[in-house]
């Protein structure tokens, strides 16, 4: 029976918010099996406490693995230098015009549970053989996953097309962040390790993490003080062009500005707006004089999750 109904391939993806109706603390789950059993049942728990049925995945996800590394790429413009080469477990991919991509088409995730996930989009899908595709015209680091763009991905990284087959995993908020296991297998089947797979995960609540600030600037002002400014991003509601400023997305606004000396943090400045003053007296205390440049690390702080992704820059004064 196991050979006739192989255990599904399962990916649990801790992703930022991608849609207005996403539940921020819930990761997503994707499953593939060939033949598809009609539905894959998902139970969540631990080996010590047992498993409770949560949901059934009725659509087979389009999943695969990279057959070549994917290097770091640019963010905010098309990556024309890199290509994704992926061998699918099954199914197919399709090209989309640039206008459709800019409106959200061909969204995918690349990475792993251990390393995290980069959200990408692609414009052109070229079939190389019955299983392998080359994807070009890439948009990298979507939804704030710039940290994974900078790290790149090795051969063998998981690829998941983010379509309706990839559902939110039914977790309560109190469970998010715990070390749990999703036990997945054919719906209606009695547990059999040959046809079920246990996928361990510890969702890091990526959907609640503040995004990285951008456009870091610093200039020396009267008296030798340094004025530091930056621009925040938002986890929610940031796609519209009409507002003068994107929504806050948090219950309170707060930032940490760190003054670096190599890997050493010389000073931390907590502020409630996207600007800070580094006084001349503090510079002298930290560096023995007024430095010609500053190395900064800036993060927005969530009232519940703490500091989010940080931006770093070394700026001449």
């Amino acid at each position: 029976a196991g050979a006739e109904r192989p255990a599904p391939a399962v990916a649990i993806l801790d992703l930022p918010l991608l849609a207005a109706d996403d539940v921020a603390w819930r990761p997503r789950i994707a499953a593939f099996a060939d033949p598809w059993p009609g539905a894959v049942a998902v139970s969540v728990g631990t080996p010590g406490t047992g498993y409770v049925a949560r949901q059934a995945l009725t659509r087979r996800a389009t999943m695969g693995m990279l057959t070549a590394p994917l290097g770091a790429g640019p963010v905010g413009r098309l990556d024309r230098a890199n290509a994704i080469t992926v061998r699918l477990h099954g199914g197919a991919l399709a090209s989309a015009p640039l206008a459709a991509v800019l409106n959200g088409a061909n969204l995918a995730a690349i990475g792993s549970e251990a390393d995290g996930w980069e959200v990408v989009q692609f414009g052109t899908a070229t079939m190389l053989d019955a299983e392998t595709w080359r994807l070009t015209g890439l948009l990298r680091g979507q939804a704030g996953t710039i940290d994974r763009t900078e790290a790149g991905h090795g051969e063998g990284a998981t690829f998941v097309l983010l379509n309706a087959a990839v559902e939110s995993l039914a977790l309560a908020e109190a469970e998010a962040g715990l070390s749990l296991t999703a036990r997945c297998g054919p719906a209606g089947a009695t547990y059999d390790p040959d046809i079920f797979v246990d996928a361990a995960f510890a969702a890091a609540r990526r959907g609640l993490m503040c995004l990285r600030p951008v456009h870091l600037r610093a200039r020396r002002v009267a008296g030798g003080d340094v004025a530091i400014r930056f621009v925040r991003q938002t986890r929610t509601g940031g796609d519209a062009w009409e507002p003068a400023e994107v929504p806050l997305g948090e219950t309170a606004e707060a930032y940490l500005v760190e003054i670096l000396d190599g890997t050493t943090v010389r000073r931390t400045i907590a502020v409630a707006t996207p600007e800070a003053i580094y006084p001349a007296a503090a510079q002298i205390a930290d560096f023995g004089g007024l430095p010609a440049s500053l190395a900064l690390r800036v993060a927005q702080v969530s009232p519940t999750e703490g500091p989010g992704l940080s931006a770093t820059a070394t700026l001449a004064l």
Side-chain angles (χ1 to χ4, degrees):
E4 297 170 1
R5 295 193 295 178
V10 172
I12 297 176
L13 305 96
D14 195 18
L15 298 178
L17 294 176
L18 299 177
D21 58 351
D22 281 353
V23 179
W25 63 81
R26 289 182 175 175
R28 296 188 178 213
I29 183 168
F32 174 91
D34 187 19
W36 181 246
V40 166
V42 180
S43 299
V44 174
T46 68
T49 61
Y51 298 89
V52 176
R54 298 299 176 96
Q55 66 202 99
L57 305 176
T58 59
R59 289 168 284 199
R60 183 170 73 171
T62 302
M63 300 170 57
M65 300 177 68
L66 299 195
T67 61
L70 175 62
V75 176
R77 58 186 175 87
L78 287 173
D79 181 357
R80 301 185 186 276
N82 289 299
I84 298 168
T85 308
V86 57
R87 178 176 294 116
L88 297 181
H89 301 322
L93 301 170
S95 300
L98 179 58
V101 173
L102 295 177
N103 279 322
N106 284 349
L107 197 69
I110 298 173
S112 67
E113 166 69 21
D115 296 333
W117 301 89
E118 179 186 0
V119 178
V120 304
Q121 291 177 266
F122 59 91
T124 302
T126 303
M127 191 175 187
L128 302 182
D129 61 37
E131 299 174 334
T132 310
W133 297 76
R134 186 172 187 269
L135 310 179
T136 54
L138 308 178
L139 287 174
R140 306 287 302 275
Q142 299 293 76
T145 57
I146 301 170
D147 54 319
R148 293 300 297 127
T149 306
E150 294 171 342
H153 308 277
E155 180 181 349
T158 298
F159 172 96
V160 181
L161 187 68
L162 295 175
N163 57 15
V166 183
E167 299 183 12
S168 290
L169 181 59
L171 290 184
E173 184 173 8
E175 295 175 307
L178 301 179
S179 294
L180 297 169
T181 297
R183 174 164 286 180
C184 307
T190 303
Y191 174 71
D192 177 343
D194 290 335
I195 59 173
F196 279 70
V197 64
D198 286 354
F201 68 96
R205 302 160 65 97
R206 182 69 188 250
L208 291 167
M209 183 181 294
C210 292
L211 302 188
R212 174 186 295 186
V214 295
H215 305 308
L216 275 60
R217 297 182 175 87
R219 64 184 181 91
R220 198 173 296 285
V221 296
D225 294 354
V226 172
I228 300 165
R229 296 180 182 273
F230 45 92
V231 175
R232 67 172 173 81
Q233 300 192 78
T234 184
R235 296 182 302 112
T236 62
D239 286 338
W241 288 93
E242 294 81 3
E245 189 172 9
V246 294
L248 177 59
E250 314 300 329
T251 57
E253 188 171 5
Y255 307 91
L256 288 180
V257 178
E258 294 176 314
I259 309 298
L260 305 178
D261 182 6
T263 58
T264 301
V265 178
R266 291 295 181 189
R267 187 170 297 267
T268 299
I269 306 170
V271 291
T273 59
E275 55 189 356
I277 294 294
Y278 185 25
Q283 297 171 50
I284 295 169
D286 294 341
F287 295 101
L290 302 182
S293 65
L294 275 186
L296 305 173
R297 182 165 59 210
V298 182
Q300 187 175 357
V301 181
S302 161
T304 60
E305 307 301 306
L309 297 175
S310 60
T312 58
T314 299
L315 304 172
L317 300 175

